Amino acid sequence: MSLFNILNIAGSAMTAQSEKINIIATNLANSESIIYKNGKYYPYIAKRVIFESSNSNKTGVGGVKIAAIVNDKNPIQMIYDPNNPLSNTKGYVLKSNTNPITETIDHISASRAYQANIEVLKTVKNMILKTLSIGE
């Protein structure tokens, strides 16, 4: 494996983690959103990013790519609030399944993974520079 393959792998991981951070930010921003569709109100449903390995060459060495962005399977919350204008006949309001604690933990994890890949890039850059200076 050449050093340039390592750059491609770290770059693909940074791209994937960046997309995950964007999805987390979207989930947090829309956690209180209500969508009006077909005459009914629906809460925002959180999204999750699914990663997969991308083997781009014959060596089996690849990077990371986003396989899919799917809806979170956690159940939608039902909050009893009979004074809310969006409540149903029993007084319940549907709320998003976004959990701010889970989103925050996922954000920290994705940020750390992004930072780790930056360190990989810095290390490879230093190794390439050292290699170029051998002949001097």
Side-chain angles (χ1 to χ4, degrees):
M1 176 181 347
S2 76
L3 293 176
F4 295 110
N5 286 344
I6 297 172
L7 293 174
N8 289 335
I9 293 168
S12 70
M14 290 173 64
T15 302
Q17 294 298 338
S18 175
E19 183 65 25
K20 183 176 182 179
I21 290 170
N22 284 336
I23 294 296
I24 291 168
T26 301
N27 288 342
L28 288 172
N30 291 310
S31 65
E32 299 292 326
S33 297
I34 303 290
I35 300 168
Y36 184 75
K37 184 177 179 182
N38 298 332
K40 292 184 178 181
Y41 292 99
Y42 298 96
Y44 174 78
I45 297 176
K47 308 284 187 256
R48 296 282 169 242
V49 177
I50 308 293
F51 295 143
E52 73 177 6
S53 174
S54 65
N55 295 327
S56 60
N57 54 23
K58 295 176 184 176
T59 62
V61 177
V64 177
K65 69 178 184 179
I66 295 174
I69 298 173
V70 298
N71 288 337
D72 190 351
K73 294 182 179 176
N74 287 328
I76 295 172
Q77 302 173 26
M78 290 186 73
I79 308 292
Y80 183 70
D81 186 7
N83 296 327
N84 190 324
L86 301 177
S87 63
N88 62 13
T89 57
K90 295 179 181 178
Y92 287 96
V93 179
L94 296 176
K95 293 280 189 173
S96 174
N97 61 352
T98 302
N99 183 343
I101 296 170
T102 303
E103 298 297 330
T104 303
I105 292 170
D106 285 349
H107 182 265
I108 291 170
S109 173
S111 296
R112 296 276 166 86
Y114 190 89
Q115 290 172 347
N117 283 297
I118 289 174
E119 292 301 320
V120 168
L121 290 178
K122 287 179 182 176
T123 302
V124 170
K125 176 187 166 192
N126 288 335
M127 291 172 67
I128 291 172
L129 290 174
K130 292 272 185 189
T131 303
L132 291 174
S133 67
I134 287 175
E136 295 178 357

